[in-house]
Amino acid sequence: MGDADAATPSEGGNTSHREATGSATEETESEADGTEAADPSTESAPTTEEPTNRSAGTVDPKGAADPEEAGGTADAGTTDGAAEPEPSAEANGPGFATRAKLFATGQTLIEEEELDDPLDDLELALLSSDVEMSVAGRIIETLREELVGASRAQAKGVGLVVEEALAEALLSVISVGQFDFEARVRAAEKPVTIVFTGVNGVGKTTTIAKLARYFEEQGLSTVLANGDTYRAGANEQIGEHADRLGKRLIAHDQGSDPAAVLYDAVEYAKANGVDVVLGDTAGRLHTSNDLMAQLEKIDRVVDPDMTLFVDEAVAGQDATNRAREFDDAAAIDGAILTKADADSQGGAAISIAHITGKPILFLGTGQGYDDIESFEPDVLVDRLLGEA
């Protein structure tokens, strides 16, 4: 009878006492198979408190096993009651979803490692084309920053993408400050005074003569002025050009004040209705402090409408250094490069434009008065990249 009485529902209290004093193994096994949870007579306190020891994520109606026994690694009983968030794949670059979308549309991302060889090759090409070293380096680093992580068509190689980006970068550099030279001269109050700077021997005086012919063809009158007063034979040299072109020349004796010569030329133009004054200046080496002082004085006294720097397209880094020095002495508004017909590279133009932030306006292409042409940035970039 004792055994039969223990099985009756009325003895539920004895059953609870057995659960409380039973071994841990029996309790765990009982929970795992859910036999007591199915018995409606089992309502003692230990049974009702039991779920508080289980994982908050347990939803098995039969009663899930203890997380540690089940081999689980996430403990829902942490202080905040939530699992630690996993780091986003996007934190270290585009994730799988982004790459998958690009792949589906025929695109792929450019990795930094892919750029090393093409950019190194392009930097060498720029240097061999007489682009100044620091300028070439800055252009290449700008390309690297723009291209890493960018997308490209799968069918298009990284080398081609880099070359196209370089063409855009070079065009942006070489097009800096471009303006319509003729339109600016026509719109300015007359006379327009243009002063030319640059070292001796680069074709500065011949360039002045070429622009006198250029303006004549545009229907604008000119007067020439020789501010190169310290060089022996300077008056005779520019005088020959003036005679051939039928232009008036304003010149003083050797050793005179260059600013005074240019001032007199401006006064002559005002009195005689001349449209443009073209003033030559001394061209001693750019390391001469006296020369730079002269240019600064001309800038103050005459206040020219434009100051144009003249140098050789084939001079490479030397031309770049000279442009920087002359620009510091008397801010230039643009540059003219002579002997462009002998230069297939164009590196000096890239460097001067980048260093000074001023445009290349004309190219000298020969010794004749008509051998001057307006600068076209896209033509030079095509030539530089070997596409012309």
Side-chain angles (χ1 to χ4, degrees):
M1 278 300 289
D3 293 339
D5 291 340
T8 61
S10 62
E11 296 295 324
N14 293 333
T15 304
S16 298
H17 176 71
R18 177 177 55 80
E19 290 178 358
T21 59
S23 67
T25 302
E26 291 174 345
E27 180 179 354
T28 303
E29 290 174 352
S30 176
E31 291 176 4
D33 61 22
T35 55
E36 289 192 8
D39 187 353
S41 65
T42 308
E43 298 176 353
S44 61
T47 303
T48 58
E49 293 177 359
E50 189 177 37
T52 62
N53 295 326
R54 294 176 181 166
S55 168
T58 302
V59 295
D60 189 344
K62 294 182 180 180
D66 188 288
E68 292 182 359
E69 292 185 5
T73 58
D75 184 4
T78 56
T79 55
D80 60 2
E84 291 291 332
E86 295 183 3
S88 171
E90 298 289 342
N92 296 319
F96 174 77
T98 300
R99 294 177 182 276
K101 290 177 181 178
L102 288 169
F103 184 81
T105 57
Q107 302 286 311
T108 187
L109 293 177
I110 298 176
E111 305 288 349
E112 184 169 6
E113 296 76 13
E114 297 179 277
L115 295 173
D116 290 340
D117 289 342
L119 289 180
D120 286 346
D121 291 343
L122 287 175
E123 184 170 14
L124 288 174
L126 290 175
L127 294 174
S128 65
S129 298
D130 285 336
V131 175
E132 200 264 342
M133 184 177 295
S134 66
V135 174
R138 285 196 289 270
I139 291 174
I140 293 301
E141 285 308 307
T142 298
L143 288 178
R144 187 184 302 276
E145 293 172 3
E146 291 179 353
L147 291 176
V148 171
S151 61
R152 65 175 174 86
Q154 295 177 24
K156 183 182 293 186
V158 174
L160 181 57
V161 172
V162 171
E163 186 172 325
E164 290 176 350
L166 176 64
E168 294 180 5
L170 292 177
L171 189 60
S172 176
V173 169
I174 203 65
S175 300
V176 62
Q178 284 289 324
F179 60 88
D180 189 325
F181 179 79
E182 181 185 344
R184 178 177 291 191
V185 171
R186 287 189 178 281
E189 183 179 353
K190 305 298 185 292
V192 176
T193 304
I194 304 175
V195 170
F196 297 80
T197 64
V199 298
N200 289 333
V202 297
K204 178 159 49 73
T205 305
T206 302
T207 297
I208 291 173
K210 289 180 179 181
L211 283 180
R213 170 65 61 83
Y214 168 86
F215 283 123
E216 181 181 334
E217 292 175 349
Q218 308 302 321
L220 298 172
S221 57
T222 59
V223 58
L224 310 186
N226 181 34
D228 186 3
T229 60
Y230 292 97
R231 180 169 62 91
N235 279 344
E236 289 76 13
Q237 180 186 13
I238 194 171
E240 290 180 5
H241 290 300
D243 291 341
R244 291 173 186 169
L245 294 167
K247 302 297 179 183
R248 177 66 183 267
L249 170 66
I250 306 298
H252 291 186
D253 293 337
Q254 185 175 343
S256 300
D257 183 355
V261 176
L262 295 178
Y263 179 83
D264 286 351
V266 172
E267 292 302 308
Y268 173 86
K270 289 179 180 178
N272 293 275
V274 177
D275 297 313
V276 182
V277 176
L278 302 175
D280 200 356
T281 61
R284 288 190 297 272
L285 290 176
H286 59 279
T287 53
S288 170
N289 291 330
D290 289 342
L291 172 59
M292 296 308 165
Q294 279 185 22
L295 294 177
E296 291 170 359
K297 183 177 181 180
I298 290 172
D299 211 34
R300 292 193 311 270
V301 174
V302 180
D303 188 22
D305 296 282
M306 275 187 264
T307 298
L308 302 183
F309 171 74
V310 182
D311 213 312
E312 296 175 335
V314 295
Q317 188 162 330
D318 285 342
T320 305
N321 294 335
R322 292 193 286 257
R324 183 188 289 111
E325 294 288 339
F326 276 98
D327 189 41
D328 288 342
I332 67 174
D333 297 283
I336 298 175
L337 296 180
T338 64
K339 301 183 181 178
D341 52 320
D343 174 43
S344 61
Q345 306 300 325
I350 297 288
S351 300
I352 291 172
H354 191 278
I355 290 293
T356 65
K358 307 298 171 55
I360 309 298
L361 297 175
F362 291 95
L363 297 176
T365 57
Q367 294 300 312
Y369 292 135
D370 294 323
D371 293 332
I372 189 168
E373 58 187 42
S374 297
F375 178 70
E376 297 182 17
D378 53 342
V379 173
L380 182 136
V381 170
D382 287 346
R383 184 187 306 156
L384 185 66
L385 296 178
E387 297 173 5

